[in-house]
Amino acid sequence: MVANDDRAGERTECPYHDESANGSVIDAIDTTSTSQGRPATYTENLFSPAAIADAHRHYRVLRSLGPVAWSSKHKVFVVSRYREARAVLADDAMFRSDDGIALTALARFAGRHTTLLGDGTEHDRRRKLVASHLTPRALRPTRSTVAAVAESIVERAVARRDIDGVEDIALEMPLTIVPDLVGWPDGAREKLLPWGVAGFDFAGPVNRLYVKSLPGMISMRRYVGGVIRRRDVRPGSAADNLIAALDRGEISRAECASMLIDLLAPSIDTTASVIAAALQLFADHPDQWATLRADRTLMSNAVNEVVRLASPLRVFARRVVADTVIGGVSVPAGARLLVFYAAANRDETVWPDPDRFDITRDAAAHLGFGHGVHSCAGQGLGRLETSCVLDALLDTVDHIERRGPGARASNNIIARWESLPLRLVPLAASAGAPTSLETEVQS
Amino acid sequence: MRIEVDQERCEGHGLCEERAPQVFTLDDEGNLSYAFDGQDVPADRVDEAESGAVVCPVAALKIVR
């Protein structure tokens, strides 16, 4: 069952190429293709451990291949340039998420009642229910709580001085905020990260990470089933809201379970990816840290720039409903399309010097949270958690130092740090915040 | 050029307001008000309005030409 990804009527062959090509990145560029309707072929595995570890090299090659490429390895079309990626995400009628977002039929079947894998009015109805407690509007009264949590996490980390930026700050933040906000019963906290990791690996192709995710997927489903039976969610929470909708008969039990997974699975490692990336980027670029310290109105843009570079969610798929043309390349009905958000966010034709971290660049139009009706429902919370951590650090920390190379996690969908050894150098202990000049002299 | 605001879809992210504060504003509850509802955007505000509309993360602001 697991390996059977082919379905009747589904297009898994590029209509323009035979599948004999094989080889290195250089060979992967099909020089015979032209820009007149035919995509170039890319032969490499985009989900191998090596490709995940060295993703941006692949993204550069993919972008150079044209607006659309054909992945002979995964039997899907690939979009990696900003313009086309944004256009595909914006056109949710032509490029569908229902039966589309995951790479395997099993994952698409399992996710069929979620908001992520829904379209049209079904999707809008589900998103309202799932996101109603997570929108920036709904979060306004919660802002001070999130800020207080960030301050206490940062205070503990500064006291320790040498920390793992992932464990001690980046994960600690969502693991403290999310269980209460979403309303999970006590005892869920330890499981939220492994379940989230499994949920994203499960959306990838059949590989080792996918197979490893299956037990986690089963135990996550069992858990939300138990939550629905026991109804032991925190009153007034987002999960409580979904169970109330079930009781009113607005959603089915299966929908309720899937929408609880919508709330659970993407809530931890995504945010942790952004916060850890912020710590790493500001540690490596003290000039940017000084710029943000000097002008905190740059905070919102700084978070956008971190999300652009970190692109926690590197790729999702769409299903093409009718014959169409993307950037001059014909794509047939029934095809599947991988949209590499992480590649689009470093498209050199849109972002000058795309690998450079610059919090003053206008980064608001990045695709790190997706775009359009399926854009991340938790992005308001993610932005809030990240900016509160950075604010708390600016209040207490002079600068952040790297204490080792750290390690990257390997996941089919999510790009993030697994560990990030850091030293937090506190602001001088004298009363009041010193000026940056004094700080330099003292340190 | 006009901008159609889908209030049902708006979640109050406020990215439009950051870019185009003369065109889009969020009140204390996070509800969006749009300066040129139901009319053409004045010529001297078109660039600003468009730059605010394109960053809406949930596609609640539609540019109509």
Side-chain angles (χ1 to χ4, degrees), chain A residues 184-416:
Chain A
W184 302 120
D186 292 342
R189 185 187 146 118
E190 287 66 35
K191 303 282 187 51
L192 293 178
L193 175 65
W195 281 338
V197 167
F200 283 112
D201 274 334
F202 187 57
V206 177
N207 58 12
R208 199 180 56 86
L209 293 168
Y210 174 91
V211 172
K212 248 179 57 187
S213 76
L214 296 174
M217 292 308 295
I218 292 166
S219 84
M220 175 160 63
R221 292 211 148 251
R222 204 172 279 158
Y223 172 77
V224 297
V227 166
I228 292 173
R229 265 196 318 281
R230 295 188 307 272
R231 286 170 156 63
D232 51 354
V233 295
R234 207 169 61 83
S237 65
D240 191 35
N241 186 42
L242 287 178
I243 288 178
L246 169 66
D247 288 342
R248 289 193 302 269
E250 290 171 20
I251 53 174
S252 70
R253 208 180 168 86
E255 277 184 304
C256 185
S258 292
M259 289 157 76
L260 286 169
I261 288 177
D262 273 338
L263 284 175
L264 191 159
S267 62
I268 306 296
D269 53 349
T270 48
T271 307
S273 166
V274 175
I275 296 174
L279 298 174
Q280 173 254 313
L281 287 164
F282 281 116
D284 289 348
H285 302 277
D287 59 315
Q288 297 296 309
W289 187 239
T291 303
L292 184 59
R293 182 185 297 291
D295 181 4
R296 290 209 200 178
T297 64
L298 291 170
M299 181 62 81
S300 166
N301 199 61
V303 173
N304 279 328
E305 175 69 347
V306 170
V307 175
R308 181 186 74 83
L309 280 174
S311 286
L313 195 137
R314 62 192 202 105
V315 60
F316 262 153
R318 291 290 189 271
R319 181 174 58 89
V320 182
V321 295
D323 290 356
T324 186
V325 177
I326 303 170
V329 176
S330 314
V331 177
R336 288 188 191 284
L337 202 59
L338 288 181
V339 182
F340 276 92
Y341 306 67
N345 277 342
R346 297 203 192 187
D347 184 334
E348 39 287 277
T349 66
V350 177
W351 314 100
D353 199 358
D355 297 336
R356 193 163 59 90
F357 177 50
D358 176 3
I359 64 167
T360 64
R361 99 160 71 219
D362 185 358
H366 69 78
L367 302 178
F369 292 118
H371 175 67
V373 301
H374 288 286
S375 75
C376 172
Q379 64 181 292
L381 181 59
R383 289 177 201 276
L384 181 62
E385 290 176 83
T386 307
S387 60
C388 284
V389 165
L390 290 175
D391 263 327
L393 285 166
L394 286 167
D395 288 343
T396 50
V397 169
D398 180 69
H399 64 280
I400 307 166
E401 293 170 5
R402 293 283 286 275
R403 299 266 298 157
R408 300 288 292 175
S410 196
N411 185 279
N412 279 332
I413 306 295
I414 298 295
R416 68 180 179 96

Side-chain angles (χ1 to χ4, degrees), chain B residues 1-5 22-24 33-46 49-50 62-65:
Chain B
M1 184 266 259
R2 285 185 304 119
I3 292 174
E4 287 174 3
V5 180
Q22 308 294 322
V23 181
F24 306 101
S33 50
Y34 168 53
F36 310 112
D37 210 7
Q39 49 175 298
D40 283 350
V41 178
D44 60 337
R45 291 280 177 224
V46 164
E50 191 169 342
K62 190 172 159 200
I63 298 168
V64 186
R65 288 175 212 283

Side-chain angles (χ1 to χ4, degrees), chain A residues 86 127-128 137 300 362 375, chain B residues 8 11 18-19 30 54 57:
Chain A
R86 188 180 162 104
R127 179 170 175 122
K128 271 234 135 63
R137 194 174 293 142
S300 166
D362 185 358
S375 75
Chain B
E8 279 291 291
E11 295 176 349
E18 279 174 27
R19 277 196 168 190
V54 297

